[in-house]
Coordinates of all heavy atoms in Angstrom, one line a residue:
E129 N 112.5 44.2 41.1 CA 113.6 43.3 40.8 C 112.9 42.1 40.0 O 113.5 41.6 38.9 CB 114.2 42.8 42.0 CG 115.1 43.7 42.8 CD 115.7 43.3 44.0 OE1 115.1 42.4 44.6 OE2 116.7 43.8 44.5
Q130 N 111.7 41.7 40.3 CA 111.1 40.7 39.5 C 110.8 41.1 38.1 O 111.0 40.4 37.2 CB 109.8 40.2 40.4 CG 109.9 39.4 41.6 CD 108.7 39.3 42.3 OE1 107.7 39.6 41.9 NE2 108.9 38.5 43.5
A131 N 110.3 42.3 38.0 CA 110.0 42.8 36.7 C 111.2 43.0 35.9 O 111.2 42.7 34.6 CB 109.3 44.3 36.8
Y132 N 112.4 43.4 36.5 CA 113.6 43.5 35.7 C 114.1 42.2 35.3 O 114.5 42.0 34.1 CB 114.6 44.1 36.7 CG 116.0 44.3 36.1 CD1 116.1 45.1 34.9 CD2 117.2 43.6 36.6 CE1 117.5 45.2 34.4 CE2 118.3 43.7 36.1 CZ 118.5 44.5 34.9 OH 119.7 44.6 34.4
Q133 N 114.0 41.1 36.1 CA 114.4 39.8 35.7 C 113.5 39.3 34.5 O 114.0 38.6 33.6 CB 114.4 38.9 36.8 CG 115.4 39.2 37.9 CD 116.8 39.0 37.3 OE1 117.1 38.2 36.6 NE2 117.7 40.0 37.8
Q134 N 112.2 39.6 34.5 CA 111.3 39.3 33.5 C 111.6 39.9 32.2 O 111.6 39.3 31.2 CB 109.9 39.5 33.9 CG 108.8 39.0 33.0 CD 108.8 37.5 32.8 OE1 108.8 36.8 33.8 NE2 109.0 37.0 31.7
C135 N 112.0 41.2 32.3 CA 112.5 41.9 31.1 C 113.7 41.3 30.6 O 113.8 41.1 29.3 CB 112.7 43.4 31.5 SG 111.3 44.4 31.7
L136 N 114.6 41.0 31.4 CA 115.9 40.2 30.8 C 115.5 38.9 30.2 O 116.0 38.6 29.1 CB 116.8 40.0 32.0 CG 117.4 41.2 32.6 CD1 118.4 40.9 33.7 CD2 118.3 42.0 31.6
S137 N 114.5 38.1 30.8 CA 114.2 36.9 30.2 C 113.4 37.1 28.9 O 113.7 36.4 27.9 CB 113.2 36.1 31.2 OG 112.7 34.9 30.7
N138 N 112.6 38.1 28.8 CA 111.9 38.3 27.6 C 112.8 38.8 26.5 O 112.7 38.3 25.3 CB 110.8 39.5 27.8 CG 109.8 39.1 28.6 OD1 109.4 37.8 28.8 ND2 109.0 40.0 29.2
K139 N 113.8 39.6 26.8 CA 114.8 40.1 25.9 C 115.7 38.8 25.4 O 115.9 38.8 24.2 CB 115.8 41.1 26.5 CG 116.7 41.7 25.6 CD 116.0 42.5 24.5 CE 117.0 43.2 23.7 NZ 116.3 44.2 22.7
A140 N 115.9 37.9 26.3 CA 116.7 36.8 25.9 C 115.9 35.9 24.9 O 116.5 35.4 23.8 CB 117.2 35.9 27.1
T141 N 114.7 35.7 25.1 CA 113.8 35.0 24.2 C 113.6 35.6 22.9 O 113.9 34.9 21.8 CB 112.4 34.7 24.9 OG1 112.5 34.1 26.2 CG2 111.5 34.0 23.9
Q142 N 113.4 36.9 22.9 CA 113.3 37.6 21.7 C 114.7 37.6 20.9 O 114.7 37.4 19.8 CB 112.9 39.1 22.0 CG 112.7 39.9 20.7 CD 112.6 41.4 21.0 OE1 113.0 41.8 22.1 NE2 112.0 42.1 20.0
G143 N 115.7 37.8 21.7 CA 117.0 37.8 21.0 C 117.4 36.5 20.4 O 117.9 36.5 19.3
S144 N 116.9 35.4 21.0 CA 117.3 34.1 20.4 C 116.5 33.9 19.1 O 117.0 33.4 18.2 CB 116.8 33.0 21.4 OG 117.0 31.7 20.9
L145 N 115.2 34.4 19.1 CA 114.4 34.2 17.8 C 115.0 35.1 16.8 O 115.2 34.8 15.6 CB 113.0 34.6 18.1 CG 112.2 33.7 19.0 CD1 110.8 34.3 19.3 CD2 112.0 32.4 18.4
L146 N 115.5 36.4 17.2 CA 116.0 37.3 16.1 C 117.4 36.8 15.6 O 117.7 36.9 14.4 CB 116.1 38.7 16.8 CG 114.9 39.5 17.1 CD1 115.3 40.8 17.8 CD2 114.2 39.8 15.8
L147 N 118.2 36.2 16.5 CA 119.5 35.7 16.1 C 119.2 34.5 15.1 O 119.9 34.4 14.1 CB 120.3 35.2 17.3 CG 120.9 36.3 18.1 CD1 121.5 35.8 19.4 CD2 121.9 37.1 17.4
G148 N 118.3 33.7 15.3 CA 117.9 32.6 14.4 C 117.5 33.2 13.0 O 118.0 32.7 12.0
E149 N 116.7 34.2 13.1 CA 116.2 34.8 11.8 C 117.5 35.5 11.1 O 117.6 35.4 9.9 CB 115.2 35.8 12.0 CG 114.6 36.5 10.8 CD 113.6 37.6 11.1 OE1 113.3 37.9 12.3 OE2 113.2 38.3 10.1
K150 N 118.3 36.1 11.8 CA 119.4 36.8 11.3 C 120.4 35.7 10.7 O 120.8 36.0 9.5 CB 120.2 37.5 12.5 CG 121.4 38.2 12.1 CD 122.0 39.0 13.2 CE 123.2 39.8 12.9 NZ 124.5 38.9 12.7
H151 N 120.6 34.7 11.3 CA 121.5 33.7 10.6 C 120.9 33.1 9.4 O 121.6 32.9 8.4 CB 121.6 32.4 11.7 CG 122.5 31.4 11.2 ND1 123.9 31.5 11.0 CD2 122.1 30.1 10.8 CE1 124.3 30.4 10.5 NE2 123.4 29.5 10.5
Q152 N 119.5 32.9 9.3 CA 118.9 32.5 8.1 C 119.0 33.5 7.0 O 119.4 33.2 5.8 CB 117.5 32.1 8.4 CG 116.7 31.5 7.2 CD 117.4 30.3 6.6 OE1 117.5 29.3 7.4 NE2 117.7 30.2 5.3
L153 N 118.7 34.8 7.3 CA 118.9 35.8 6.4 C 120.3 35.9 5.8 O 120.4 36.2 4.6 CB 118.4 37.1 7.0 CG 116.9 37.2 7.3 CD1 116.5 38.5 8.0 CD2 116.1 37.2 5.9
E154 N 121.3 35.8 6.7 CA 122.6 36.0 6.3 C 123.0 34.9 5.3 O 123.8 35.1 4.3 CB 123.6 35.9 7.4 CG 123.5 37.2 8.3 CD 124.4 37.2 9.5 OE1 124.6 36.0 10.0 OE2 124.7 38.2 10.1
N155 N 122.5 33.6 5.5 CA 122.7 32.5 4.6 C 122.1 32.8 3.3 O 122.6 32.5 2.2 CB 122.2 31.2 5.2 CG 123.1 30.6 6.4 OD1 124.3 31.1 6.4 ND2 122.5 29.8 7.3
D156 N 120.8 33.3 3.3 CA 120.1 33.6 2.2 C 120.8 34.7 1.3 O 120.9 34.6 0.1 CB 118.7 34.1 2.4 CG 117.8 33.1 3.0 OD1 118.2 31.9 2.9 OD2 116.8 33.4 3.5
L157 N 121.4 35.7 2.0 CA 122.1 36.9 1.4 C 123.4 36.3 0.8 O 123.7 36.7 -0.4 CB 122.4 37.9 2.4 CG 123.1 39.1 1.9 CD1 122.1 39.8 0.8 CD2 123.4 40.1 3.0
T158 N 124.0 35.3 1.4 CA 125.2 34.7 0.8 C 124.9 34.1 -0.5 O 125.6 34.2 -1.5 CB 125.9 33.8 1.7 OG1 126.3 34.5 3.0 CG2 127.1 33.1 1.2
G159 N 123.8 33.3 -0.5 CA 123.4 32.7 -1.8 C 123.0 33.6 -2.9 O 123.3 33.4 -4.1
L160 N 122.3 34.6 -2.5 CA 121.9 35.6 -3.5 C 123.2 36.5 -4.1 O 123.3 36.7 -5.2 CB 121.1 36.7 -2.9 CG 119.6 36.2 -2.6 CD1 118.8 37.2 -1.8 CD2 118.9 35.9 -3.9
N161 N 124.2 36.7 -3.2 CA 125.3 37.3 -3.7 C 126.1 36.5 -4.6 O 126.7 37.0 -5.6 CB 126.3 37.7 -2.4 CG 125.7 38.8 -1.6 OD1 124.9 39.6 -2.1 ND2 126.2 38.9 -0.4
A162 N 126.1 35.1 -4.4 CA 126.8 34.3 -5.3 C 126.1 34.2 -6.6 O 126.7 34.2 -7.7 CB 126.9 32.8 -4.7
Q163 N 124.7 34.2 -6.6 CA 124.0 34.2 -7.8 C 124.2 35.5 -8.6 O 124.4 35.5 -9.8 CB 122.4 34.1 -7.6 CG 122.0 32.8 -7.0 CD 120.6 32.8 -6.7 OE1 119.7 33.3 -7.5 NE2 120.1 32.2 -5.6
R164 N 124.3 36.6 -7.8 CA 124.5 37.9 -8.5 C 125.9 38.0 -9.2 O 126.0 38.5 -10.3 CB 124.4 39.0 -7.5 CG 124.4 40.4 -8.1 CD 124.2 41.5 -7.0 NE 123.9 42.8 -7.6 CZ 124.8 43.7 -8.2 NH1 126.1 43.4 -8.2 NH2 124.3 44.8 -8.6
E165 N 126.9 37.5 -8.5 CA 128.2 37.5 -9.0 C 128.3 36.7 -10.3 O 128.9 37.1 -11.3 CB 129.2 37.0 -8.0 CG 130.6 37.1 -8.3 CD 131.1 38.5 -8.6 OE1 130.5 39.4 -8.0 OE2 132.0 38.7 -9.5
A166 N 127.6 35.6 -10.3 CA 127.7 34.7 -11.5 C 126.8 35.3 -12.6 O 127.4 35.2 -13.8 CB 127.0 33.3 -11.2
L167 N 125.8 36.0 -12.3 CA 125.0 36.7 -13.4 C 125.8 37.9 -14.0 O 125.7 38.1 -15.3 CB 123.7 37.1 -12.8 CG 122.7 37.8 -13.8 CD1 122.4 36.8 -15.0 CD2 121.4 38.1 -13.1
I168 N 126.3 38.7 -13.2 CA 127.0 39.9 -13.7 C 128.2 39.6 -14.6 O 128.6 40.4 -15.4 CB 127.4 40.9 -12.7 CG1 128.4 40.3 -11.7 CG2 126.2 41.4 -11.8 CD1 129.0 41.3 -10.7
Q169 N 128.8 38.3 -14.4 CA 129.9 37.9 -15.2 C 129.4 37.8 -16.7 O 130.3 37.8 -17.6 CB 130.5 36.6 -14.7 CG 131.1 36.7 -13.3 CD 132.2 37.8 -13.2 OE1 133.1 37.9 -14.2 NE2 132.2 38.5 -12.2

Side-chain angles (χ1 to χ4, degrees):
E129 288 177 336
Q130 291 173 358
Y132 177 62
Q133 292 302 322
Q134 186 61 53
C135 283
L136 291 176
S137 177
N138 292 342
K139 186 66 175 180
T141 301
Q142 180 192 21
S144 178
L145 293 173
L146 289 174
L147 286 173
E149 183 185 357
K150 179 174 180 285
H151 179 68
Q152 182 60 55
L153 289 173
E154 287 173 340
N155 287 339
D156 293 343
L157 186 59
T158 297
L160 289 170
N161 287 339
Q163 293 179 43
R164 187 181 198 277
E165 186 61 29
L167 183 54
I168 64 175
Q169 296 300 321

